[in-house]
Amino acid sequence: MSLVQAARAIASQFEYTDADITRCGAQFIREMRLGLQEKTPSMCQIPTYISRVALSTETVSSTKVEGLDNDWSIKGIALAVDLGGTNLRVCSVCLQGGATVVAHQRKTIIPRELMLATHPSDLFGFIAREIEALLQTYHPEPLSKTNESYNPLSTFCLGFTFSFPAYQNAINSGTLLRWTKGFDIQTAVGQDVCKLLQDEIDLLRLPVKVTALVNDAAGTIMARAYTLPLSEIRTSIGAIIGTEKLSKISKPLDGDYDKSIGEMFMSIEWGSFDNRLSVMPNTQYDAILDEYSVNRGSQMFEKRVSGMFLGELLRLAVRGLHTNIALDFFSMLNRDEDREPSGLLTPWTVDSSILSAAAIDTTPDLGVLKQKMQEVFNYPIEYISNEEARAMKLIADAIGRRAGRLAGMALGAVNLQSKQMSEPANVIKEKDTMRFPDQQNEADFVDVAVDGSVIEHYPGFEQYMREALRSITDIGVEGEKRIKIGIAKDGSSVGAAIIALLVAEQNNIHHPI
């Protein structure tokens, strides 16, 4: 068997057919419905206590919209903390109206020891110090005033994007259910993550109050809605979160929320879909990745879709080529003992950017991919043959396509469960004559807000999602055309600030300036 033939055999294991999508979609809907009935099933549906989006003030004031009150519009400054994985972002966000947002941020890699700390204060104290550094840079005056005379009632409001399963009891309170994405601080499980952060903020005497706990998808919805023209405010799904009728939520909702709208955004913890692997694809490489992950047996869907895991999955698959001596794949690794350890042989050193490079490169000699292979695997480019690069591309493309189709399956299931495709969207329109290029009425569209490195940087990922959507019987070709997918850049951070300001206004929390 040639190297390329061996690569094709591995790539075929990642095939995810239309029949697979149908089976998974039906199971996804079953688990979504269970999540509306039970508090903490495997795939939770967590109430966000958010029932509306915020709009830019100037856009609202310039357009009369029936049924829209001024309390949907918002301006001001808020802070946001985005803890979504190995990177921490702390932001100052200024909403200026007119769909305009100005944001300043600090981005920091979280040290590995803090991800596995013994005490929650180690991690949350680190976050509080990053907030302090942001204030020193962009808001030194209120910070100096606070140090002279601490007044906890005069504060910056802060939205906390916490991208881990936490069951929300209120808009500003959530109990950590479990860690994912390589974190494992067991003493934090069962505690209120907003209180953990607020306690550390208060120790530093910062003029900051955590007013909202936000799922990253909810933040993405808010950010996209704020920056769209008023005629296009129809966002109803964030990857992956959806609106649900209150009448369909049979489990208790403990916190206060607006019952007048009759709907609430529900955070669907899709990373835990089908943890039992009853319908999801499971290759030998998926099994190895799960075996050596910190949350073995959990987040099985996330491990097949998230950019955090796709690079490691590729590494495991192509390592199989290397260990087969007869294939002569990266053979110089076995001969050059003085070379630094290769990423090919080192777990968790390969990220999803190599999949993007493989997808981009369609040249005969795959020069762009070879360059990336040299960088990622610490392997001289002059040793990389066209056949080796082709083998890498075959497997990388197969993993990326499966991830995109899985994501499309989940998006389609949320559409069907929330009836977005069968009912007119909750649309705010300037005029009934608005049309998109294909001449469909704007109210026929469902807007999906997305954020993240894979959807933004992996070419063709959206098309893989759309392939899956078209294969779903109750969506099909025409239904897929009605789904508009839009990137909300840094959406989770900006959206968290928007939600924090909404809550602050409702509770009369004043800005320190």
Side-chain angles (χ1 to χ4, degrees), residues 24-258:
C24 282
Q27 180 64 22
F28 198 99
I29 290 174
R30 282 192 289 269
E31 293 195 22
M32 283 182 67
R33 290 173 177 169
L34 184 63
L36 296 175
Q37 301 165 14
E38 299 181 4
K39 189 171 182 179
T40 56
S42 175
M43 192 172 82
C44 297
Q45 285 225 55
I46 298 174
T48 65
Y49 297 92
I50 303 166
S51 55
R52 60 189 177 90
V53 295
L55 309 179
S56 56
T57 304
E58 293 173 7
T59 308
V60 171
S61 62
S62 65
T63 309
K64 180 176 177 56
V65 182
E66 183 178 354
L68 182 63
D69 298 324
N70 283 336
D71 65 354
W72 286 55
S73 63
I74 193 166
K75 283 184 178 181
I77 297 175
L79 305 183
V81 167
D82 188 351
L83 182 62
T86 56
N87 291 321
L88 171 71
R89 282 190 295 182
V90 181
C91 308
S92 169
V93 178
C94 179
L95 307 178
Q96 299 181 332
T100 302
V101 176
V102 176
H104 302 286
Q105 71 171 337
R106 285 176 58 88
K107 187 174 181 180
T108 311
I109 296 175
I110 300 174
R112 179 71 175 169
E113 60 269 20
L114 294 183
M115 297 169 65
L116 306 172
T118 303
H119 302 290
S121 58
D122 295 337
L123 174 63
F124 288 92
F126 174 80
I127 297 172
R129 290 189 292 276
E130 286 298 307
I131 295 171
E132 181 180 40
L134 180 85
L135 291 175
Q136 289 171 340
T137 302
Y138 298 107
H139 303 288
E141 185 177 351
L143 186 61
S144 63
K145 288 179 180 179
T146 303
N147 289 333
E148 294 169 5
S149 178
Y150 180 58
N151 179 8
L153 298 179
S154 180
T155 61
F156 286 96
C157 55
L158 182 143
F160 185 15
T161 299
F162 188 75
S163 303
F164 303 88
Y167 198 87
Q168 284 195 241
N169 310 301
I171 189 66
N172 62 346
S173 174
T175 302
L176 177 62
L177 299 175
R178 60 184 175 273
W179 288 105
T180 60
K181 304 176 184 178
F183 285 73
D184 190 20
I185 309 171
Q186 286 303 307
T187 49
V189 175
Q191 296 200 53
D192 184 344
V193 294
C194 289
K195 185 178 186 303
L196 290 172
L197 179 57
Q198 188 67 59
D199 287 347
E200 297 301 322
I201 288 170
D202 291 345
L203 284 175
L204 296 177
R205 296 169 60 84
L206 302 179
V208 176
K209 183 173 180 61
V210 181
T211 59
L213 179 64
V214 182
N215 173 277
D216 51 358
T220 301
I221 286 177
M222 282 288 179
R224 180 155 170 81
Y226 190 87
T227 55
L228 280 173
L230 188 63
S231 62
E232 299 179 25
I233 302 294
R234 61 194 183 282
T235 307
S236 52
I237 296 177
I240 193 88
I241 197 166
T243 53
E244 191 58 79
K245 301 288 186 185
L246 294 176
S247 60
K248 293 184 180 180
I249 304 173
S250 57
K251 62 184 177 183
L253 298 175
D254 302 323
D256 294 329
Y257 56 95
D258 185 351

Side-chain angles (χ1 to χ4, degrees), residues 1-3 6 318-329 334:
M1 179 183 291
S2 71
L3 175 59
V318 296
R319 188 188 64 174
L321 297 176
H322 173 68
T323 55
N324 185 340
I325 303 299
L327 296 176
D328 204 32
F329 181 79
N334 302 323

Side-chain angles (χ1 to χ4, degrees), residues 227-339:
T227 55
L228 280 173
L230 188 63
S231 62
E232 299 179 25
I233 302 294
R234 61 194 183 282
T235 307
S236 52
I237 296 177
I240 193 88
I241 197 166
T243 53
E244 191 58 79
K245 301 288 186 185
L246 294 176
S247 60
K248 293 184 180 180
I249 304 173
S250 57
K251 62 184 177 183
L253 298 175
D254 302 323
D256 294 329
Y257 56 95
D258 185 351
K259 300 179 180 64
S260 64
I261 296 176
E263 293 182 336
M264 180 185 291
F265 288 111
M266 299 294 289
S267 170
I268 305 163
E269 291 294 334
W270 74 337
S272 291
F273 167 62
D274 195 27
N275 278 340
R276 294 178 298 172
L277 298 177
S278 61
V279 293
M280 262 212 302
N282 189 39
T283 71
Q284 60 180 305
Y285 310 108
D286 295 304
I288 295 170
L289 185 149
D290 178 57
E291 179 73 22
Y292 291 101
S293 66
V294 298
N295 54 348
R296 178 180 168 188
S298 182
Q299 301 297 112
M300 303 305 272
F301 187 79
E302 180 181 47
K303 289 170 182 173
R304 287 154 177 76
V305 174
S306 169
M308 179 177 182
F309 297 100
L310 296 181
E312 176 64 6
L313 198 54
L314 174 63
R315 188 195 70 82
L316 290 169
V318 296
R319 188 188 64 174
L321 297 176
H322 173 68
T323 55
N324 185 340
I325 303 299
L327 296 176
D328 204 32
F329 181 79
F330 274 33
S331 58
M332 290 301 296
L333 289 180
N334 302 323
R335 303 171 192 169
D336 193 346
E337 297 180 356
D338 295 329
R339 185 171 304 282

